[in-house]
Amino acid sequence: MEQSAKPGMLAKFVFIVGLIALAALPIGALGHRFGLWGLVTGTALVFSGIVLATIVLVLGVAALVFVRTRRRPADRMPALIGLAASLAVAVVMGPQYSKAVSLPTTNDVTTDRDDPPVFEQLAANSAPGANLLDYTEEEARVQAEGYPDLTGIRTTGGVGENLAKAVALARVLGWKVVSENAPGGIVEMTATTFWFGFQDDVAIRVRRGGDETVVDLRSASRVGLHDLGANADRIRAFLERWNDRGDRATPD
């Protein structure tokens, strides 16, 4: 059988569509982040990339089979590139799917489920259509089952001292201070996710609790019903940084 010097249509399809699938992820997410299109369009682009990558995975294997059985060496490289691109999509999105099916379906997480920090400034300026900033009993129940490790920090020193420390640490983590109420011992911030540029609301409350000072956090997503663990991860990052400085997070 005569060997073709040019890639066949199937290999070309796998090559082109695989690269399109891979490009759809950052284009959809970053396009939303920089205001080129809305959430629906951005999500649709990402979802389309996932669908295309799934198709390419199947057809790419078929293209490689043709390389061997039909002696089409020219198909090998474009098929491998397309397959690699689709596998990259699977590597990126696989953990997100795993989080969606394994983590609690919640978008509001706190270290004090009985008396969470309250959003005041952020709630007053909430955009139409944004999630409500009311922490419900159902959210407390879901969080207790899914994130029992999230507890407040008990430390020494006064409220003002620890609030200043909390604000400094939040800024290190990239959170933007929106409102700081030093007498009330609470600061409200926004944290922006990298890819889609989602702005989540964060509150840190510092108050006396017996002979200690207690630092509690709350992180809530403005959009979506499932945060894929982002709010819990954000709180954990803060607690870990704080604990690295010698204080501790302990159950109340």
Side-chain angles (χ1 to χ4, degrees):
M1 181 182 295
E2 182 180 355
Q3 296 181 2
S4 174
K6 296 182 179 180
M9 291 298 297
L10 179 58
K12 289 180 180 179
F13 179 88
V14 169
F15 174 76
I16 294 172
V17 177
L19 293 180
I20 291 174
L22 181 59
L25 302 190
I27 289 175
L30 294 177
H32 176 268
R33 178 185 177 93
F34 294 111
L36 299 179
W37 42 69
L39 178 60
V40 173
T41 300
T43 303
L45 284 170
V46 171
F47 182 76
S48 297
I50 297 171
V51 172
L52 292 176
T54 303
I55 295 172
V56 168
L57 282 172
V58 176
L59 296 182
V61 172
L64 290 179
V65 170
F66 290 164
V67 169
R68 184 175 182 85
T69 61
R70 300 188 181 182
R71 298 188 180 186
R72 299 186 60 89
D75 289 359
R76 181 180 292 108
M77 187 55 65
L80 286 174
I81 293 174
L83 267 176
S86 62
L87 285 172
V89 173
V91 168
V92 171
M93 299 307 300
Q96 303 305 311
Y97 174 78
S98 178
K99 289 179 180 179
V101 298
S102 64
L103 293 179
T105 303
T106 184
N107 54 28
D108 196 340
V109 178
T110 180
T111 58
D112 187 345
R113 298 187 298 272
D114 296 323
D115 184 18
V118 176
F119 294 105
E120 297 179 352
Q121 186 70 27
L122 288 170
N125 296 326
S126 179
N131 291 333
L132 297 177
L133 292 174
D134 297 328
Y135 191 79
T136 65
E137 292 183 0
E138 176 62 16
E139 285 166 330
R141 183 193 65 78
V142 170
Q143 183 187 326
E145 294 176 357
Y147 304 122
D149 60 305
L150 297 182
T151 56
I153 299 168
R154 294 184 177 275
T155 186
T156 58
V159 170
E161 171 189 349
N162 283 286
L163 185 65
K165 178 180 176 180
V167 171
L169 179 53
R171 285 184 168 134
V172 169
L173 292 170
W175 306 350
K176 180 181 178 181
V177 175
V178 175
S179 174
E180 186 174 352
N181 180 1
I186 192 163
V187 59
E188 298 178 57
M189 292 154 286
T190 58
T192 304
T193 63
F194 177 77
W195 286 108
F196 269 91
F198 293 130
Q199 286 193 324
D200 297 339
D201 297 325
V202 183
I204 301 177
R205 181 186 64 206
V206 183
R207 60 184 179 182
R208 293 295 293 175
D211 297 330
E212 298 176 305
T213 298
V214 181
V215 182
D216 282 303
L217 290 87
R218 181 179 170 193
S219 182
S221 303
R222 293 185 182 179
V223 297
L225 299 177
H226 199 319
D227 64 6
L228 302 180
N231 289 303
D233 288 344
R234 181 175 296 118
I235 291 176
R236 287 195 188 102
F238 182 95
L239 297 177
E240 288 171 3
R241 290 289 190 98
W242 188 290
N243 292 340
D244 287 344
R245 301 184 181 187
D247 292 303
R248 64 195 188 281
T250 59
D252 293 339

